Amino acid sequence: MKAKLMDELTVKLMCIKARELLIEQENVVKLSSPVSLVGDVHGQFHDLLEIFKIGGDLPYTNYLFLGDYVDRGAFSIETMTLLIL
């Protein structure tokens, strides 16, 4: 099956909604254990897919991402889009 790109408007709307949700959240959140800690992803989309493959799918696994989601990898938009979903 061939992957289909999301159109620009869909990505833009996702980002707007994500921003609204993040603004509403506190700086510190309480998480239920167990939690899988994930360090800097740096836009490495395929590594992120592997993390989910090894660690478990959402919502069955709790993840805490420590930051640096994008900035170096070739797939920064895809990485951020997947994390927003």
Side-chain angles (χ1 to χ4, degrees):
M1 181 158 122
K2 189 174 179 181
K4 183 180 174 189
L5 295 176
M6 283 190 272
D7 62 273
E8 183 180 346
L9 179 60
T10 300
V11 174
K12 199 176 280 191
L13 291 172
M14 285 176 52
C15 290
I16 290 169
K17 185 62 176 175
R19 182 177 185 272
E20 290 171 0
L21 293 172
L22 290 171
I23 287 172
E24 292 174 7
Q25 289 186 352
E26 298 291 329
N27 288 346
V28 178
V29 295
K30 292 183 180 185
L31 301 173
S32 300
S33 61
V35 175
S36 295
L37 296 175
V38 181
D40 301 345
V41 179
H42 293 297
Q44 301 297 329
F45 181 72
H46 294 95
D47 291 349
L48 181 60
L49 293 177
E50 190 68 17
I51 288 167
F52 288 142
K53 181 179 171 186
I54 292 169
D57 292 327
L58 299 168
Y60 307 108
T61 303
N62 292 320
Y63 288 95
L64 174 60
F65 287 86
L66 301 179
D68 282 343
Y69 310 110
V70 299
D71 68 355
R72 298 180 193 164
F75 299 100
S76 291
I77 292 173
E78 293 84 353
T79 299
M80 200 64 221
T81 303
L82 180 59
L83 290 173
I84 290 171
L85 288 175

